[in-house]
């Protein structure tokens, strides 16, 4: 068999061409990989750029919100300062008025005493004149036989009863005390009940500051003989049977309903009137404040941050429960479905509850200063309510009439 010597040369060329093609294919794949890598890098760069822009936009929004918040805080502080100044000015006027009332009360007592003394002198003069006139009449008749007529006695001046006037002053003092207690409840939100203003109010309430003096303190020495030495009779208490009867009649109108998992709401339902029970509302306030004081004392004895967190959370829960109760009552009052007793208007009514609701919504009981301010306001409210509704018979009778009105 004859061999072709060119066959090996042709085979080598073919192999070389195949190798060249493989190199070209390999280089193409390398270029494809590089191209994909470049495209992927470009896509990542574009995505990163877009993300940066998004972050910048969010950051600008946050900066704008922060600026708005700064403006809001500045406006709030300005309003707070203005309200505090108004409160201070009002309290200064109260002290001034009390001083004027004290001075006028003293002057009134002195003038009444002077008038009574003048009446005594007039009475003594009248008696002396009558005695002298009778003596002259007898002397003229005996010596000269003249029957002289004694002129009629002049009408006596209207006597002044010092006890009655002092009782009037005492009633004025009591009314002023009630109005002062009521006005102290109208302070704005939690900021107006801060330590500085509460200190002033506590001083006035405790009697350490200028106050209206007791009537008995204005009088020194014995009272005039014209009746002022008689003791002023105390008001007779209502018969227990009458008060019990009125209370039973009012209780017959009592109804209750759940308060969104926060206890019960008590109210009185008449034919056309539904009246929320203010005493039960005050009981709920007292319970929340008492629990808050217990937790505040416990908080002061706890050093663990974890335990402090849970105690503060429980404080806020009590605050939120009381807020939900007030919110329910106020909503019903705003819908004219419920009302509060007209007898306690100005002391405990819808506007007073609304102000307390604002404090419960704005303040934070985990801040013991704010909790203490609310507790002081609640105690002042309880005292004002007790002053308005005692003796209870008048309050119960008016509440019964209001429920039975058609």
């Amino acid at each position: 068999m004859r061999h072709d010597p060119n066959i090996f040369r042709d085979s080598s060329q073919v192999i070389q061409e195949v190798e060249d093609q493989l190199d070209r294919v390999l280089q193409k794949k390398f270029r494809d990989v590089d191209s994909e890598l470049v495209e992927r890098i470009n896509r990542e760069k574009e995505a990163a750029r877009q993300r940066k822009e998004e972050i910048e936009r969010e950051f600008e929004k946050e900066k704008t919100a922060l600026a708005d918040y700064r403006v809001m805080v500045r406006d709030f502080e300005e309003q707070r300062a203005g309200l505090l100044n108004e409160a201070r000015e009002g309290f200064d006027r109260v002290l001034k008025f009390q001083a004027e009332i004290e001075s006028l009360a003293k002057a009134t007592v002195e003038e009444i005493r002077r008038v009574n003394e003048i009446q005594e002198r007039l009475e003594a003069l009248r008696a002396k004149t009558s005695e002298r006139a009778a003596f002259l009449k007898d002397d003229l008749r005996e010596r000269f036989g003249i029957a002289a007529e004694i002129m009629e006695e002049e009408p006596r001046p209207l006597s002044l009863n010092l006890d009655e006037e002092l009782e009037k002053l005492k009633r004025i003092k009591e009314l002023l005390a009630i109005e002062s207690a009521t006005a102290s409840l109208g302070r704005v939100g939690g900021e107006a009940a801060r330590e500085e203003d509460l200190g002033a109010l506590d001083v006035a309430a405790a009697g350490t500051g200028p106050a209206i003096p007791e009537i008995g303190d204005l009088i020194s020495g014995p009272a005039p003989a014209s009746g002022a030495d008689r003791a002023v009779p105390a008001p007779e208490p209502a018969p227990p049977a009458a008060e019990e009867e009125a209370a039973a009649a009012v209780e017959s109108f009592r109804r209750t309903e759940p308060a969104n998992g926060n206890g019960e709401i008590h109210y009185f339902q008449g034919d056309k009137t539904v009246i929320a029970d203010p005493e039960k509302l005050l009981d709920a306030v007292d319970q929340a404040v008492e629990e808050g004081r217990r937790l505040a004392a416990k908080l002061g004895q706890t050093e663990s941050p974890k335990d402090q967190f849970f105690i503060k959370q429980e404080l806020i829960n009590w605050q939120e429960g009381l807020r939900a109760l007030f919110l329910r009552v106020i909503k019903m009052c705003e819908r004219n479905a419920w009302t509060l007793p007209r007898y306690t208007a100005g002391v405990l009514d819808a506007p007073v509850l609304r102000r307390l609701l604002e404090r419960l919504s704005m303040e934070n009981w985990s801040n013991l200063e704010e909790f203490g301010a609310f507790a002081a306001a609640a105690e002042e409210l309880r005292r004002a309510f007790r002053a308005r509704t005692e003796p209870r018979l008048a309050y119960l009778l008016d509440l019964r009439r209001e429920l039975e009105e058609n």
Side-chain angles (χ1 to χ4, degrees), residues 56-124:
E56 289 179 356
R57 288 194 297 268
E58 293 177 356
F59 185 72
E60 290 297 328
K61 290 181 181 178
E62 294 296 333
K63 288 178 62 178
T64 303
L66 183 61
D68 295 340
Y69 179 76
R70 184 180 292 108
V71 172
M72 182 185 68
V73 170
R74 184 172 59 252
D75 294 342
F76 173 77
E77 290 296 332
E78 292 176 355
Q79 294 178 9
R80 174 179 176 273
L83 292 174
L84 288 177
N85 288 333
E86 292 182 10
R88 293 191 189 96
E89 293 173 358
F91 191 72
D92 291 341
R93 287 194 295 270
V94 169
L95 296 179
K96 179 181 177 182
F97 293 154
Q98 287 185 345
E100 293 177 357
I101 292 171
E102 178 183 356
S103 176
L104 291 174
K106 290 181 179 179
T108 302
V109 172
E110 291 298 327
E111 290 299 324
I112 292 174
R113 179 177 294 153
R114 288 181 57 192
V115 170
N116 284 328
E117 291 175 355
I118 293 172
Q119 286 181 352
E120 291 178 0
R121 293 166 59 188
L122 286 174
E123 182 66 21

Side-chain angles (χ1 to χ4, degrees), residues 11-180:
S11 298
S12 298
Q13 291 178 354
V14 170
I15 292 172
Q16 183 64 39
E17 291 178 359
V18 170
E19 288 178 352
D20 293 340
Q21 290 179 1
L22 288 174
D23 289 339
R24 288 194 296 271
V25 169
L26 180 61
Q27 293 300 325
K28 183 177 182 301
K29 288 186 177 292
F30 285 166
R31 288 194 299 272
D32 292 343
V33 171
D34 292 338
S35 177
E36 290 178 1
L37 178 61
V38 171
E39 290 180 358
R40 186 181 304 167
I41 292 173
N42 290 335
R43 286 196 302 270
E44 293 292 337
K45 287 183 178 179
E46 181 64 21
R49 185 186 63 79
Q50 293 178 359
R51 180 58 180 164
K52 288 181 180 179
E53 292 179 354
E54 183 179 355
I55 292 173
E56 289 179 356
R57 288 194 297 268
E58 293 177 356
F59 185 72
E60 290 297 328
K61 290 181 181 178
E62 294 296 333
K63 288 178 62 178
T64 303
L66 183 61
D68 295 340
Y69 179 76
R70 184 180 292 108
V71 172
M72 182 185 68
V73 170
R74 184 172 59 252
D75 294 342
F76 173 77
E77 290 296 332
E78 292 176 355
Q79 294 178 9
R80 174 179 176 273
L83 292 174
L84 288 177
N85 288 333
E86 292 182 10
R88 293 191 189 96
E89 293 173 358
F91 191 72
D92 291 341
R93 287 194 295 270
V94 169
L95 296 179
K96 179 181 177 182
F97 293 154
Q98 287 185 345
E100 293 177 357
I101 292 171
E102 178 183 356
S103 176
L104 291 174
K106 290 181 179 179
T108 302
V109 172
E110 291 298 327
E111 290 299 324
I112 292 174
R113 179 177 294 153
R114 288 181 57 192
V115 170
N116 284 328
E117 291 175 355
I118 293 172
Q119 286 181 352
E120 291 178 0
R121 293 166 59 188
L122 286 174
E123 182 66 21
L125 180 61
R126 184 193 64 79
K128 185 177 180 180
T129 302
S130 298
E131 182 182 351
R132 182 63 177 170
F135 173 78
L136 290 176
K137 177 182 178 182
D138 294 340
D139 187 58
L140 288 173
R141 185 176 62 249
E142 292 175 359
R143 295 178 60 184
F144 303 103
I146 299 175
E149 295 183 358
I150 300 177
M151 61 182 178
E152 297 180 357
E153 295 184 1
E154 297 180 356
R156 300 183 182 182
L158 181 63
S159 62
L160 289 178
N161 190 332
L162 183 59
D163 289 339
E164 294 179 357
E165 299 302 323
L166 293 178
E167 184 64 24
K168 293 178 182 179
L169 291 176
K170 185 176 180 181
R171 286 197 295 269
I172 292 174
K173 174 180 176 292
E174 291 174 352
L175 288 174
L176 288 172
I178 293 174
E179 290 299 325
S180 176

Side-chain angles (χ1 to χ4, degrees), residues 29 40 48 53 63 122 183 201 245 261 272 299 376 404-405:
K29 288 186 177 292
R40 186 181 304 167
E53 292 179 354
K63 288 178 62 178
L122 286 174
L201 288 177
E245 180 182 355
K272 295 185 177 180
L299 182 63
E404 293 177 348
E405 288 177 352

